[in-house]
Amino acid sequence: MSQAGLPARIGQYDVVRRLAYGGMAEVLLGRLCGADGFRKDVVIKRVLPHLASNAEFITMFRDEARITARLHHGNIVQVLEFAEADGPYYLALEYVHGTTLGNILHALWRNGAKLGVPEVAHVGIEVARALDYAHRKLGDDGSLLEIVHRDVSPSNVLVSVEGEVKLADFGIARARQRLSPTQAGHVKGKFAYMAPEALTQGKVDARSDLFALGAVLFEALTNTPAFRAENEAQTIHHVLTYEVPPPSTLNPEVPPRLDEIVLSLMQRDPARRPARGLEVVEALGPLCLRSVPPAADVLAATVARLQAVDAARPPREPVTGNLIPASVRRRVLVVDESRTLRALVKATLGARYVVIEAATVEEASALMRSAPPGVVLCQRVLSGASGLDLCRAIRADAALGDVRFILLTGDETPEVQAEAAAAGADAVLPKRLEPARLDETIDRLLRPPV
């Protein structure tokens, strides 16, 4: 990803490079330097400029800092500082030298391999410890804070080169003392890892996080997501209705006891799940404690091996939390008011491109100023400025000269085609998305000239 536009310094930290970029914040590698060669790397999570004046978002960002700063546990990424530097707010977080569980599973899947049972049990134990601590955290008055992570997923489980496992991004956590409660009816988190009660009732508690942990363990054991489908609607339907098979049906190495643990975590009735993370720790313990060599060492060796393979490829930058990873893959910015269509585009293109989402032309413009995409995929009719307005703005900006533009429209008449061409669009596709045609069109537009 381009490093253009980065400040040399934020607060007390030197900025080394950009690690990741998302629709709400960017993540940077920072370095704190001191006397006698002292050096400490940190992760800086900084609000994007177009959200700096959004009071609701800034309140949520402050809440994230306030909630996570209370959590001091070896399996939780630590908050080091929350501050404001020349306008934008930022969080300084512990830097975990390693990768995400999601990256590990994808790399193993690509090579036809899986994590062993002891390594998965080790991951489950460490994440369950983190959750049990957060769920049982007391406030200053001695009462439970009722912290719920709400986004336990492979991309938020970090694994260090030493085999440490840490849970990241309590950014959408909810606590009883939170200053800005989630609006009624607004669901946060990744649907494929959400508990049914979160989807149907908007209610979450500790057992909702444990359901998500069960989905993570199922995926780690089988390299197959338990519920993920082609679009959000189908994924939600799977969460609410699909009978998940025992992991051993997809991985014969899984013992019956581990089948029982995973399926108990994924019970639709919260009352039938384990009540707290400590129960999961005790249940998984026998599955990894007798491992020789220790499961943590095997996991560390897996991370080291995968990093060695990556080192032989064109340079990639690491992933942090649930933001879009910086990578050599080309970026596709999809601009559409429909979350379902954006999810479908991500499902279609996510294996080959970094897909970034925006709901409005204003949001898309802010994203492009920070890091231009290779392709913009934009619906024709939007609230406010239209897709054609965005196309004209791109063509008028010399810095965006290499950006390809695809217009999505419900009407592919010759008149619309001519209007799109006059605005500078490279292609017109139907709003009723055809995944194969979309993939072929983007490949053609980004193919280097012969």
Side-chain angles (χ1 to χ4, degrees):
M1 178 180 290
S2 170
Q3 304 298 316
L6 291 183
R9 192 173 178 86
I10 294 178
Q12 60 181 325
Y13 308 102
D14 295 328
V15 175
V16 179
R17 66 179 185 273
R18 181 180 284 117
L19 296 177
Y21 193 91
M24 297 183 294
E26 64 177 342
V27 179
L28 312 171
L29 177 62
R31 184 164 293 156
L32 179 63
C33 299
D36 298 323
F38 172 84
R39 191 179 84 172
K40 183 179 181 63
D41 287 342
V42 302
V43 167
I44 299 172
K45 186 175 180 181
R46 186 171 71 154
V47 174
L48 292 180
H50 72 283
L51 288 170
S53 60
N54 185 318
E56 181 181 0
F57 179 80
I58 294 301
T59 301
M60 184 181 72
F61 199 69
R62 286 172 172 161
D63 288 350
E64 174 182 353
R66 186 170 62 83
I67 292 169
T68 315
R70 289 177 173 265
L71 304 177
H72 303 284
H73 190 274
N75 295 118
I76 295 176
V77 174
Q78 300 296 291
V79 170
L80 306 175
E81 183 184 14
F82 174 67
E84 182 181 7
D86 300 324
Y89 287 91
Y90 70 88
L91 277 170
L93 305 163
E94 172 188 6
Y95 174 64
V96 178
H97 179 43
T99 187
T100 69
L101 178 63
N103 278 354
I104 293 171
L105 297 180
H106 180 73
L108 291 174
W109 170 82
R110 194 171 53 212
N111 293 293
K114 295 183 178 73
L115 286 176
V117 166
E119 296 95 88
V120 175
H122 171 67
V123 170
I125 287 170
E126 302 300 275
V127 174
R129 282 177 174 152
L131 290 173
D132 193 75
Y133 170 84
H135 296 158
R136 308 289 294 179
K137 184 67 178 176
L138 302 179
D140 295 336
D141 61 358
S143 62
L144 282 175
L145 288 174
E146 300 178 2
I147 294 173
V148 181
H149 188 283
R150 291 163 53 100
D151 196 17
V152 178
S153 59
S155 63
N156 281 333
V157 177
L158 306 186
V159 182
S160 78
V161 294
E162 292 84 15
E164 299 173 293
V165 178
K166 292 179 181 280
L167 185 59
D169 201 353
F170 276 80
I172 60 172
R174 187 175 190 175
R176 177 170 51 81
Q177 294 180 348
R178 187 166 182 164
L179 294 176
S180 60
T182 303
Q183 293 179 355
H186 185 62
V187 178
K188 293 186 175 184
K190 300 181 180 72
F191 292 124
Y193 306 95
M194 280 186 138
E197 66 271 15
L199 294 171
T200 59
Q201 305 171 46
K203 295 179 180 179
V204 297
D205 61 16
R207 295 168 300 181
S208 306
D209 280 346
L210 295 180
F211 180 94
L213 175 58
V216 170
L217 294 180
F218 182 95
E219 186 170 341
L221 289 166
T222 66
N223 266 1
T224 302
F227 302 111
R228 189 180 304 149
E230 291 185 0
N231 56 56
E232 289 181 347
Q234 290 182 11
T235 297
I236 292 170
H237 180 72
H238 283 185
V239 171
L240 298 178
T241 64
Y242 180 58
E243 292 299 327
V244 179
S248 60
T249 61
L250 300 174
N251 180 358
E253 295 182 6
V254 177
R257 178 58 181 144
L258 189 50
D259 276 340
E260 294 172 8
I261 295 169
V262 173
L263 293 180
S264 71
L265 287 166
M266 299 173 72
Q267 290 290 325
R268 287 199 172 84
D269 181 357
R272 300 180 64 186
R273 298 174 207 151
R276 56 180 293 192
L278 188 59
E279 294 180 30
V280 181
V281 173
E282 294 173 348
L284 290 173
L287 297 170
C288 74
L289 293 180
R290 293 191 294 269
S291 173
V292 179
D297 291 352
V298 178
L299 192 59
T302 299
V303 173
R305 184 174 71 254
L306 296 177
Q307 289 193 334
V309 171
D310 281 346
R313 295 180 177 142
R316 283 182 70 180
E317 294 169 348
V319 172
T320 302
N322 66 349
L323 299 180
I324 299 168
S327 139
V328 295
R329 292 184 300 165
R330 290 160 295 184
R331 295 158 56 87
V332 175
L333 171 60
V334 54
V335 188
D336 199 294
E337 292 172 334
S338 168
R339 288 186 63 199
T340 300
L341 186 136
R342 299 199 306 266
L344 180 58
V345 171
K346 183 169 288 189
T348 301
L349 303 176
R352 298 182 58 198
Y353 303 97
V354 179
V355 180
I356 304 133
E357 303 177 46
T360 65
V361 168
E362 179 184 17
E363 185 179 353
S365 299
L367 290 171
M368 284 190 292
R369 282 195 293 272
S370 300
V375 173
V376 172
L377 181 68
C378 183
Q379 74 176 87
R380 182 184 178 209
V381 179
L382 290 161
S383 300
S386 71
L388 288 174
D389 291 332
L390 178 61
C391 184
R392 295 185 188 100
I394 291 172
R395 294 295 172 247
D397 189 336
L400 303 177
D402 294 331
V403 175
R404 305 297 93 199
F405 191 95
I406 300 174
L407 186 71
L408 296 180
T409 177
D411 185 0
E412 293 183 87
T413 63
E415 292 76 16
V416 171
Q417 296 274 1
E419 186 181 24
D426 297 284
V428 176
L429 292 178
K431 183 74 163 60
R432 185 181 295 276
L433 201 62
E434 300 172 9
R437 186 177 173 188
L438 172 63
D439 192 60
E440 185 278 330
T441 301
I442 292 178
D443 181 67
R444 172 175 55 81
L445 292 177
L446 293 181
R447 191 178 303 144
V450 178

PDB file of all heavy atoms in Angstrom, residues 3-18:
ATOM      1  N   GLN A   3       2.577   4.609   0.893  1.00  0.00           N
ATOM      2  CA  GLN A   3       2.858   5.246   2.175  1.00  0.00           C
ATOM      3  C   GLN A   3       2.770   6.772   2.061  1.00  0.00           C
ATOM      4  O   GLN A   3       3.166   7.485   2.987  1.00  0.00           O
ATOM      5  CB  GLN A   3       4.265   4.836   2.647  1.00  0.00           C
ATOM      6  CG  GLN A   3       4.451   3.326   2.748  1.00  0.00           C
ATOM      7  CD  GLN A   3       3.518   2.678   3.745  1.00  0.00           C
ATOM      8  OE1 GLN A   3       3.333   3.183   4.843  1.00  0.00           O
ATOM      9  NE2 GLN A   3       2.927   1.560   3.369  1.00  0.00           N
ATOM     10  N   ALA A   4       2.260   7.247   0.925  1.00  0.00           N
ATOM     11  CA  ALA A   4       2.178   8.686   0.707  1.00  0.00           C
ATOM     12  C   ALA A   4       1.256   9.333   1.727  1.00  0.00           C
ATOM     13  O   ALA A   4       0.248   8.778   2.136  1.00  0.00           O
ATOM     14  CB  ALA A   4       1.670   8.964  -0.708  1.00  0.00           C
ATOM     15  N   GLY A   5       1.616  10.549   2.113  1.00  0.00           N
ATOM     16  CA  GLY A   5       0.768  11.328   2.991  1.00  0.00           C
ATOM     17  C   GLY A   5       0.887  11.017   4.461  1.00  0.00           C
ATOM     18  O   GLY A   5       0.138  11.561   5.269  1.00  0.00           O
ATOM     19  N   LEU A   6       1.827  10.153   4.845  1.00  0.00           N
ATOM     20  CA  LEU A   6       1.991   9.825   6.256  1.00  0.00           C
ATOM     21  C   LEU A   6       2.790  10.915   6.966  1.00  0.00           C
ATOM     22  O   LEU A   6       3.787  11.408   6.436  1.00  0.00           O
ATOM     23  CB  LEU A   6       2.715   8.487   6.421  1.00  0.00           C
ATOM     24  CG  LEU A   6       1.959   7.231   6.007  1.00  0.00           C
ATOM     25  CD1 LEU A   6       2.796   6.004   6.313  1.00  0.00           C
ATOM     26  CD2 LEU A   6       0.621   7.149   6.716  1.00  0.00           C
ATOM     27  N   PRO A   7       2.373  11.281   8.171  1.00  0.00           N
ATOM     28  CA  PRO A   7       3.175  12.239   8.943  1.00  0.00           C
ATOM     29  C   PRO A   7       4.444  11.561   9.449  1.00  0.00           C
ATOM     30  O   PRO A   7       4.504  10.336   9.606  1.00  0.00           O
ATOM     31  CB  PRO A   7       2.243  12.606  10.103  1.00  0.00           C
ATOM     32  CG  PRO A   7       1.385  11.395  10.281  1.00  0.00           C
ATOM     33  CD  PRO A   7       1.171  10.838   8.904  1.00  0.00           C
ATOM     34  N   ALA A   8       5.463  12.352   9.697  1.00  0.00           N
ATOM     35  CA  ALA A   8       6.709  11.794  10.230  1.00  0.00           C
ATOM     36  C   ALA A   8       6.551  11.384  11.690  1.00  0.00           C
ATOM     37  O   ALA A   8       7.251  10.478  12.166  1.00  0.00           O
ATOM     38  CB  ALA A   8       7.838  12.810  10.084  1.00  0.00           C
ATOM     39  N   ARG A   9       5.610  12.032  12.375  1.00  0.00           N
ATOM     40  CA  ARG A   9       5.482  11.802  13.806  1.00  0.00           C
ATOM     41  C   ARG A   9       4.037  12.019  14.240  1.00  0.00           C
ATOM     42  O   ARG A   9       3.349  12.911  13.729  1.00  0.00           O
ATOM     43  CB  ARG A   9       6.418  12.756  14.560  1.00  0.00           C
ATOM     44  CG  ARG A   9       6.619  12.440  16.040  1.00  0.00           C
ATOM     45  CD  ARG A   9       7.693  13.359  16.617  1.00  0.00           C
ATOM     46  NE  ARG A   9       7.884  13.123  18.031  1.00  0.00           N
ATOM     47  CZ  ARG A   9       8.695  12.205  18.531  1.00  0.00           C
ATOM     48  NH1 ARG A   9       9.391  11.435  17.721  1.00  0.00           N
ATOM     49  NH2 ARG A   9       8.836  12.047  19.834  1.00  0.00           N
ATOM     50  N   ILE A  10       3.562  11.209  15.150  1.00  0.00           N
ATOM     51  CA  ILE A  10       2.252  11.391  15.777  1.00  0.00           C
ATOM     52  C   ILE A  10       2.466  11.331  17.278  1.00  0.00           C
ATOM     53  O   ILE A  10       2.907  10.311  17.821  1.00  0.00           O
ATOM     54  CB  ILE A  10       1.255  10.293  15.343  1.00  0.00           C
ATOM     55  CG1 ILE A  10       0.951  10.405  13.852  1.00  0.00           C
ATOM     56  CG2 ILE A  10      -0.036  10.401  16.149  1.00  0.00           C
ATOM     57  CD1 ILE A  10       0.017   9.320  13.341  1.00  0.00           C
ATOM     58  N   GLY A  11       2.162  12.435  17.954  1.00  0.00           N
ATOM     59  CA  GLY A  11       2.417  12.480  19.385  1.00  0.00           C
ATOM     60  C   GLY A  11       3.884  12.229  19.677  1.00  0.00           C
ATOM     61  O   GLY A  11       4.765  12.873  19.102  1.00  0.00           O
ATOM     62  N   GLN A  12       4.174  11.268  20.534  1.00  0.00           N
ATOM     63  CA  GLN A  12       5.553  10.967  20.893  1.00  0.00           C
ATOM     64  C   GLN A  12       6.156   9.857  20.038  1.00  0.00           C
ATOM     65  O   GLN A  12       7.272   9.406  20.293  1.00  0.00           O
ATOM     66  CB  GLN A  12       5.610  10.543  22.359  1.00  0.00           C
ATOM     67  CG  GLN A  12       4.780   9.302  22.690  1.00  0.00           C
ATOM     68  CD  GLN A  12       4.843   8.934  24.152  1.00  0.00           C
ATOM     69  OE1 GLN A  12       5.881   9.097  24.802  1.00  0.00           O
ATOM     70  NE2 GLN A  12       3.733   8.451  24.700  1.00  0.00           N
ATOM     71  N   TYR A  13       5.447   9.436  18.983  1.00  0.00           N
ATOM     72  CA  TYR A  13       5.886   8.275  18.206  1.00  0.00           C
ATOM     73  C   TYR A  13       6.354   8.683  16.804  1.00  0.00           C
ATOM     74  O   TYR A  13       5.684   9.467  16.122  1.00  0.00           O
ATOM     75  CB  TYR A  13       4.747   7.261  18.072  1.00  0.00           C
ATOM     76  CG  TYR A  13       4.127   6.901  19.398  1.00  0.00           C
ATOM     77  CD1 TYR A  13       2.906   7.461  19.790  1.00  0.00           C
ATOM     78  CD2 TYR A  13       4.755   6.026  20.269  1.00  0.00           C
ATOM     79  CE1 TYR A  13       2.329   7.147  21.015  1.00  0.00           C
ATOM     80  CE2 TYR A  13       4.186   5.705  21.500  1.00  0.00           C
ATOM     81  CZ  TYR A  13       2.983   6.273  21.860  1.00  0.00           C
ATOM     82  OH  TYR A  13       2.420   5.953  23.072  1.00  0.00           O
ATOM     83  N   ASP A  14       7.479   8.130  16.378  1.00  0.00           N
ATOM     84  CA  ASP A  14       7.889   8.237  14.981  1.00  0.00           C
ATOM     85  C   ASP A  14       7.040   7.266  14.165  1.00  0.00           C
ATOM     86  O   ASP A  14       6.798   6.136  14.586  1.00  0.00           O
ATOM     87  CB  ASP A  14       9.364   7.868  14.819  1.00  0.00           C
ATOM     88  CG  ASP A  14      10.282   8.838  15.539  1.00  0.00           C
ATOM     89  OD1 ASP A  14       9.928  10.029  15.626  1.00  0.00           O
ATOM     90  OD2 ASP A  14      11.355   8.399  16.012  1.00  0.00           O
ATOM     91  N   VAL A  15       6.574   7.702  12.990  1.00  0.00           N
ATOM     92  CA  VAL A  15       5.761   6.850  12.126  1.00  0.00           C
ATOM     93  C   VAL A  15       6.686   6.081  11.186  1.00  0.00           C
ATOM     94  O   VAL A  15       7.469   6.677  10.444  1.00  0.00           O
ATOM     95  CB  VAL A  15       4.737   7.671  11.332  1.00  0.00           C
ATOM     96  CG1 VAL A  15       3.982   6.784  10.341  1.00  0.00           C
ATOM     97  CG2 VAL A  15       3.756   8.345  12.287  1.00  0.00           C
ATOM     98  N   VAL A  16       6.603   4.767  11.225  1.00  0.00           N
ATOM     99  CA  VAL A  16       7.459   3.919  10.399  1.00  0.00           C
ATOM    100  C   VAL A  16       6.791   3.620   9.064  1.00  0.00           C
ATOM    101  O   VAL A  16       7.376   3.824   8.005  1.00  0.00           O
ATOM    102  CB  VAL A  16       7.801   2.605  11.136  1.00  0.00           C
ATOM    103  CG1 VAL A  16       8.679   1.705  10.269  1.00  0.00           C
ATOM    104  CG2 VAL A  16       8.478   2.906  12.468  1.00  0.00           C
ATOM    105  N   ARG A  17       5.565   3.113   9.097  1.00  0.00           N
ATOM    106  CA  ARG A  17       4.848   2.813   7.857  1.00  0.00           C
ATOM    107  C   ARG A  17       3.378   2.536   8.183  1.00  0.00           C
ATOM    108  O   ARG A  17       3.003   2.375   9.331  1.00  0.00           O
ATOM    109  CB  ARG A  17       5.446   1.598   7.139  1.00  0.00           C
ATOM    110  CG  ARG A  17       5.296   0.276   7.886  1.00  0.00           C
ATOM    111  CD  ARG A  17       5.896  -0.871   7.067  1.00  0.00           C
ATOM    112  NE  ARG A  17       5.671  -2.165   7.687  1.00  0.00           N
ATOM    113  CZ  ARG A  17       6.434  -2.724   8.597  1.00  0.00           C
ATOM    114  NH1 ARG A  17       7.504  -2.078   9.033  1.00  0.00           N
ATOM    115  NH2 ARG A  17       6.153  -3.914   9.085  1.00  0.00           N
ATOM    116  N   ARG A  18       2.570   2.494   7.128  1.00  0.00           N
ATOM    117  CA  ARG A  18       1.166   2.139   7.280  1.00  0.00           C
ATOM    118  C   ARG A  18       1.048   0.620   7.289  1.00  0.00           C
ATOM    119  O   ARG A  18       1.631  -0.079   6.465  1.00  0.00           O
ATOM    120  CB  ARG A  18       0.342   2.722   6.135  1.00  0.00           C
ATOM    121  CG  ARG A  18      -1.141   2.415   6.236  1.00  0.00           C
ATOM    122  CD  ARG A  18      -1.930   3.022   5.083  1.00  0.00           C
ATOM    123  NE  ARG A  18      -2.121   4.468   5.248  1.00  0.00           N
ATOM    124  CZ  ARG A  18      -1.642   5.378   4.419  1.00  0.00           C
ATOM    125  NH1 ARG A  18      -0.925   5.008   3.375  1.00  0.00           N
ATOM    126  NH2 ARG A  18      -1.868   6.663   4.629  1.00  0.00           N
TER     127      ARG A  18
END
